[in-house]
Amino acid sequence: MQSAMFLAVQHDCGSMDKSAGNSPKSEEKRGKMKRTLLKDWKTRLSYFLQNSSSPGKPKNGKKSKQQTFIKPSPEEAQLWSEAFDELLASKYGLAAFRAFLKSEFCEENIEFWLACEDFKKTKSPQKLSSKARKIYTDFIEKEAPKEINIDFQTKTLIAQNIQEATSGCFTTAQKRVYSLMENNSYPRFLESEFYQDLCKKPQITTESHAT
């Protein structure tokens, strides 16, 4: 599974390799960077796995702001491989996929998709307009902090659409980002060591007692 993770690190979501040269020093630097990313990926998802369990009672009678998730059974986790929508429909699966994308430096894709899902549910015209502008400044405009990879024509169309925002302002961009995740990040997530561990059924050991 480590080979799959290294492929994830090499994905075009990260542009670090493009800026590096082909000298021996550059190769060594890239190798160290990939080993660091692989270690960070394992740490992030191991932490997520260890801290995801049945929700406990909040301390001091106050509701915890941190969302907790119930770890799925191996059968439930295996359903995620049947369709990308199955993964996104699971709270645990979605959170795990976000952690995976963060390890690939592509978390802006799922964050944009989720922002669009929330945007489409907005009824108030005023809130629709303000949310549209926030999504545009966060994800669409040039050098946005979480800029997604879409073509110039789509960006231009969105810039025009948000002047009179409707629930369909980001439909084209959302579909493209969804397709990108489904065809690239999702297959690698299914190959990841983290996901494979979730799908493993606990081994039942039988011990023979000497008489």
Side-chain angles (χ1 to χ4, degrees):
M1 289 304 152
Q2 287 187 356
S3 60
M5 291 185 208
F6 278 120
L7 286 174
V9 173
Q10 291 174 317
H11 184 235
D12 57 357
C13 290
S15 59
M16 64 196 77
D17 283 354
K18 294 179 182 179
S19 59
N22 293 320
S23 65
K25 288 185 178 180
S26 297
E27 291 293 336
E28 182 180 356
K29 185 177 180 181
R30 282 200 294 269
K32 288 181 179 179
M33 189 174 295
K34 288 173 184 177
R35 287 193 294 271
T36 301
L37 290 176
L38 178 60
K39 183 178 179 181
D40 182 60
W41 145 252
K42 287 184 176 180
T43 302
R44 286 179 190 275
L45 292 186
S46 295
Y47 177 83
F48 174 81
L49 182 61
Q50 292 168 5
N51 288 273
S52 300
S53 57
S54 299
K57 293 182 180 180
K59 297 180 180 179
N60 302 325
K62 296 180 180 179
K63 292 183 178 180
S64 175
K65 292 183 179 179
Q66 186 175 3
Q67 192 173 10
T68 56
F69 305 94
I70 300 175
K71 182 180 176 181
S73 67
E75 291 77 14
E76 290 172 326
Q78 287 169 6
L79 288 175
W80 302 347
S81 66
E82 294 183 3
F84 187 38
D85 285 336
E86 290 284 351
L87 174 64
L88 298 180
S90 164
K91 290 183 178 180
Y92 190 102
L94 177 59
F97 187 60
R98 290 182 73 171
F100 175 76
L101 289 182
K102 193 162 188 174
S103 74
E104 288 197 323
F105 302 98
C106 297
E107 66 267 30
E108 69 276 2
N109 289 330
I110 191 65
E111 289 180 10
F112 171 72
W113 185 85
L114 289 169
C116 290
E117 288 295 288
D118 174 71
F119 176 77
K120 290 187 295 187
K121 297 174 184 176
T122 305
K123 303 298 182 184
S124 167
Q126 290 183 340
K127 288 185 179 180
L128 201 67
S129 179
S130 62
K131 284 185 178 182
R133 292 186 180 280
K134 178 169 177 54
I135 292 174
Y136 181 80
T137 56
D138 284 351
F139 300 100
I140 307 298
E141 69 179 359
K142 186 178 180 181
E143 297 183 1
K146 301 176 184 179
E147 186 177 2
I148 58 173
N149 184 19
I150 56 175
D151 60 90
F152 178 76
Q153 289 182 338
T154 302
K155 287 188 175 186
T156 303
L157 181 61
I158 291 173
Q160 295 172 352
N161 289 342
I162 64 172
Q163 301 304 317
E164 295 182 4
T166 66
S167 59
C169 280
F170 304 100
T171 299
T172 301
Q174 187 184 17
K175 286 181 178 178
R176 292 189 181 182
V177 167
Y178 179 94
S179 178
L180 179 67
M181 293 190 295
E182 183 179 32
N183 295 321
N184 295 313
S185 301
Y186 172 58
R188 286 197 306 278
F189 172 77
L190 297 180
E191 293 175 358
S192 69
E193 188 174 6
F194 174 76
Y195 176 69
Q196 295 298 325
D197 286 343
L198 284 178
C199 293
K200 286 180 182 177
K201 294 182 179 180
Q203 295 181 349
I204 301 176
T205 57
T206 57
E207 296 181 0
S208 58
H209 299 280
T211 55

